[in-house]
Amino acid sequence: MKIRILLVSVALLALCVIPGFAQQKAGSPADSRNPADFIVNHYAARSQFVAGAISRADLDTILQAGINAPSAMNRQPWHFTVVQTQALAKKMVNDIDEGSVLIIISAAKSDNSIVLDCGLATESIYLAAQALGYGSRIYTGPINNINKNLKADLGLPRDYSAVALVRIGKVKAGVDAVSAASKRSKVEDKVNFK
Ligand SMILES: Cc1cc2nc3c(=O)[nH]c(=O)nc-3n(C[C@H](O)[C@H](O)[C@H](O)COP(=O)(O)O)c2cc1C
């Protein structure tokens, strides 16, 4: 498990030092890929999800990635709620597959830093899941419904509100960012150097 945590950490670090990667086909098993692939080549699974269990060891690694996310002044303002009960998960994502989980990221306040902190934890969870070979997708669409109707069912800490959720599950074999991700902008359209 330590090796997996290390791989995810190296992948996050690589984002800072590798200036630009084209979207490339990553056909090999997750563990033999360049660590930067986990960050550069990802996609938001939806129709690609299939039924199948997530191991407890992998779930722990994914949660550790969220716990280890950076935050302003290291406040770590988040709480993570893992939803494994299908009936409850369906109230948030109605087409969720058997064995998939939802991780709700919540916080007590929502100033700019806290929203950003929670966004970073969300991204770390999203990427860690894909680094381990699962599909993942970030959702904010269900957040209003969660905060209005489901806080008690979810057992969110007192005064916390949901900020985002990540859906994680098994995906069809052979799906990758090349086959599944939407088109992205060109680097030259989004970046300037001075
Ligand atoms: C902050 C945020 C909120 C999102 N909310 C939703 C959502 O409510 N429903 C949904 O289907 N996808 C949602 N997505 C997924 C995006 O639509 C997806 O990441 C984007 O279209 C890129 O997809 P791709 O990587 O597969 O090309 C969200 C993504 C982000 C980053």
Side-chain angles (χ1 to χ4, degrees):
M1 180 155 72
K2 278 185 182 161
I3 291 171
R4 283 180 176 158
I5 294 168
L6 186 65
L7 267 178
V8 173
S9 304
V10 169
L12 292 168
L13 192 62
L15 183 63
C16 304
V17 295
I18 297 176
F21 258 54
Q23 199 140 82
Q24 319 168 334
K25 190 162 181 72
S28 50
D31 285 352
S32 66
R33 290 164 59 188
N34 182 322
D37 281 353
F38 303 137
I39 298 167
V40 179
N41 297 322
H42 55 83
Y43 69 101
R46 185 155 53 191
S47 60
Q48 299 87 357
F49 281 111
V50 293
I54 299 172
S55 76
R56 180 56 201 251
D58 285 347
L59 191 53
D60 286 346
T61 302
I62 291 164
L63 289 165
Q64 193 68 57
I67 294 282
N68 286 7
S71 60
M73 296 181 289
N74 197 25
R75 280 185 298 189
Q76 306 172 54
W78 43 64
H79 180 85
F80 306 115
T81 302
V82 182
V83 182
Q84 295 173 299
T85 312
Q86 290 294 300
L88 182 54
K90 276 184 188 297
K91 291 182 181 175
M92 294 168 271
V93 175
N94 61 16
D95 63 344
I96 193 151
D97 300 88
E98 189 69 41
S100 289
V101 301
L102 301 179
I103 300 179
I104 319 292
I105 297 92
S106 61
K109 292 188 201 145
S110 60
D111 67 31
N112 282 347
S113 283
I114 290 176
V115 170
L116 180 54
D117 295 339
C118 287
L120 292 170
T122 301
E123 172 81 344
S124 291
I125 289 168
Y126 167 83
L127 290 177
Q130 294 193 31
L132 291 170
Y134 296 100
S136 58
R137 188 179 190 94
I138 298 166
Y139 288 76
T140 54
I143 294 304
N144 286 345
N145 180 41
I146 291 172
N147 287 332
K148 203 170 160 198
N149 303 313
L150 298 175
K151 277 188 187 185
D153 288 352
L154 289 167
L156 294 196
R158 189 180 160 82
D159 298 330
Y160 275 51
S161 294
V163 175
L165 70 84
V166 185
R167 171 183 181 175
I168 300 167
K170 291 270 190 189
V171 280
K172 294 171 192 163
V175 181
D176 59 26
V178 171
S179 60
S182 318
K183 196 169 178 296
R184 297 300 199 271
S185 308
K186 291 181 178 154
V187 171
E188 55 267 33
D189 293 339
K190 292 287 181 184
V191 181
N192 72 313
F193 295 89
K194 288 287 182 186

